[in-house]
Amino acid sequence: MAALTEEQTLIREQASAWALKESPVSQFRALRDASDNAGFEQATWDAMIEMGWTGILIPEEYGGSDLGILTFGLVLEQLGRQLTASPLLPSALAGASALLLGGSAELKEAMLPKIIDGTAIVTLAVDEGTHHRPESTALEARASEGGFTLVGSKASVAEGSAATHFVVAARTAGTPGEDDGISLFLLPADSAGVSRTPLNVLDSRDYANIRLDDVHVDTDALLGRLDGGLPLLQQVLDRARAGIAAEMLGTASQAFDMTLDYLKTREQFGKVIGSFQGLGHRAAGLFSAMEQTRSCVEAALQAIDTDADNSAELASLAKCRAGQFLYDMTNELIQMHGGIGMTDEFDAGLYLKRARALEASYGNRSYHRDRYARLLGF
């Protein structure tokens, strides 16, 4: 585990206590069962804003605390334990990072304070199909008077219904599959020609497909360089990948704790089942995998904070390793609980469904294995 500052330790403890008391899994279950499920509770989101979590990455000059992405990851890990639903990662991490790394001074001044106070929810609109392939961007951005005209669609956009703004990856030159020719634009969600289709998804969160029909954006909405936006996009995505890996670590760690508690209390043949050697060995292996995953996740977060040269490699490693452990752990959660693990009344199914959605977000294990190898020159 990384050596934390006193402030980071306090924030982690605050997040843990708050999530357990104010946003437990039972609250997410109620949200899932509600007929008007909006993907998150407004009161939950308001509380996060009040605690200052939306400003963790944002410099003080814009009203934030600038505590770094490792601190952000500590919060996300605790929220992952309770399956807390909110726009915190899509907006205050991914959306804010796009503006911090690629926005003009005017855009930062206009948008970052709104991300902090929650009046703006800014989310990435990148993928156009079922697989994560940023370089395959095909949504077209044609030069027009005073800016660009966007035509195309985006799939499974996180917080797609709640978002006030999208960071849209568009092709301004070249053909899909080419690295050059991609540009990023900040697009108000209420722009003429934008339509959204909410999706009914496995983990009961807010995802939507986005359609852009001749949508105009001004030239000053460009983030980063025209035709050269892929490096910026990957840098933003790496922050999102490291952040979601921290959330995945929290979700898997809670699944481990639930399983361990069951092994210590469930009796069979007059003994607690945790005393059976086969189950004990499996638990030990899972604990080792959890600590290895923690090392990978914290290394990626620290690398981003220090702008290390290998931060991209570590982000892919963290996302891949967290995906593998979460997949294995949620399977073991159900298997070791036996029949009760298959019932809806037990929380195991909620963790399994969230796990499968998290595994696919910002690139699955296969994508990141390939990317990691390419980054290392293989």
Side-chain angles (χ1 to χ4, degrees), residues 87-362:
L88 187 66
L89 190 155
S91 183
L93 196 162
S97 291
L99 286 160
L100 286 168
L101 297 173
S104 64
E106 293 76 16
L107 278 179
K108 291 177 184 178
E109 188 69 37
M111 293 301 303
L112 292 176
K114 292 181 179 180
I115 290 177
I116 294 172
D117 66 22
T119 55
I121 295 176
V122 182
T123 189
L124 304 182
V126 177
D127 294 323
E128 299 176 10
T130 55
H131 296 290
H132 180 69
R133 292 286 185 272
E135 64 277 3
S136 296
T137 294
L139 185 144
E140 185 181 6
R142 300 190 303 265
S144 58
E145 185 176 353
F148 297 84
T149 299
L150 307 183
V151 180
S153 60
K154 295 293 180 180
S156 300
V157 176
E159 308 304 333
S161 297
T164 61
H165 295 76
F166 300 113
V167 175
V168 179
R171 186 157 291 282
T172 47
T175 58
E178 295 180 357
D179 290 353
D180 293 334
I182 293 175
S183 303
L184 303 183
F185 298 94
L186 181 66
L187 174 68
D190 60 359
S191 299
V194 176
S195 58
R196 317 188 224 193
T197 304
L199 301 176
N200 184 15
V201 292
L202 188 69
D203 63 340
S204 305
R205 305 297 175 109
D206 175 15
Y207 294 92
N209 289 339
I210 312 299
R211 177 68 196 175
L212 308 181
D213 291 305
D214 294 325
V215 177
H216 177 79
V217 290
D218 294 333
T219 303
D220 58 11
L222 178 68
L223 301 176
R225 294 191 300 112
L226 182 66
D227 298 339
L230 186 59
L232 169 62
L233 176 59
Q234 287 288 15
Q235 193 176 2
V236 172
L237 286 169
D238 281 337
R239 289 183 166 212
R241 290 159 180 157
I244 207 167
E247 180 182 345
M248 295 165 76
L249 173 62
T251 301
S253 297
Q254 182 65 20
F256 176 83
D257 289 349
M258 292 164 64
T259 303
L260 193 62
D261 287 345
Y262 188 72
L263 294 179
K264 291 178 178 179
T265 56
R266 175 75 166 95
E267 291 190 3
Q268 207 168 40
F269 308 113
K271 296 182 179 180
V272 293
I273 61 175
S275 65
F276 301 152
Q277 191 175 57
L279 294 179
H281 286 172
R282 285 163 69 180
L286 291 167
F287 177 79
S288 296
M290 179 170 64
E291 293 308 302
Q292 290 168 4
T293 301
R294 183 178 304 281
S295 295
C296 292
V297 170
E298 291 182 350
L301 295 170
Q302 289 178 314
I304 293 170
D305 272 339
T306 59
D307 198 24
D309 292 339
N310 63 342
S311 58
E313 293 96 315
L314 291 174
S316 277
L317 178 62
K319 182 62 170 63
C320 183
R321 192 69 190 85
Q324 186 66 60
F325 175 53
L326 182 58
Y327 178 85
D328 292 339
M329 188 63 247
T330 48
N331 283 350
E332 292 283 12
L333 170 65
I334 289 179
Q335 188 175 47
M336 290 200 197
H337 277 82
I340 191 176
M342 299 294 293
T343 65
D344 185 65
E345 289 79 6
F346 189 62
D347 291 335
L350 300 179
Y351 281 84
L352 180 73
K353 292 172 183 177
R354 181 58 177 159
R356 298 302 176 263
L358 288 169
E359 289 164 29
S361 297
Y362 307 122

Side-chain angles (χ1 to χ4, degrees), residues 54-59 65-69 72 92-93 96-97 100 239:
T54 51
I56 288 176
L57 283 188
I58 298 174
S65 54
D66 198 14
L67 295 175
I69 195 169
F72 208 126
L93 196 162
S97 291
L100 286 168
R239 289 183 166 212

Side-chain angles (χ1 to χ4, degrees), residues 356-376:
R356 298 302 176 263
L358 288 169
E359 289 164 29
S361 297
Y362 307 122
N364 60 18
R365 283 171 283 157
S366 176
Y367 173 86
H368 285 291
R369 286 192 188 102
D370 289 346
R371 181 174 184 250
Y372 183 76
R374 291 197 307 271
L375 288 170
L376 291 180

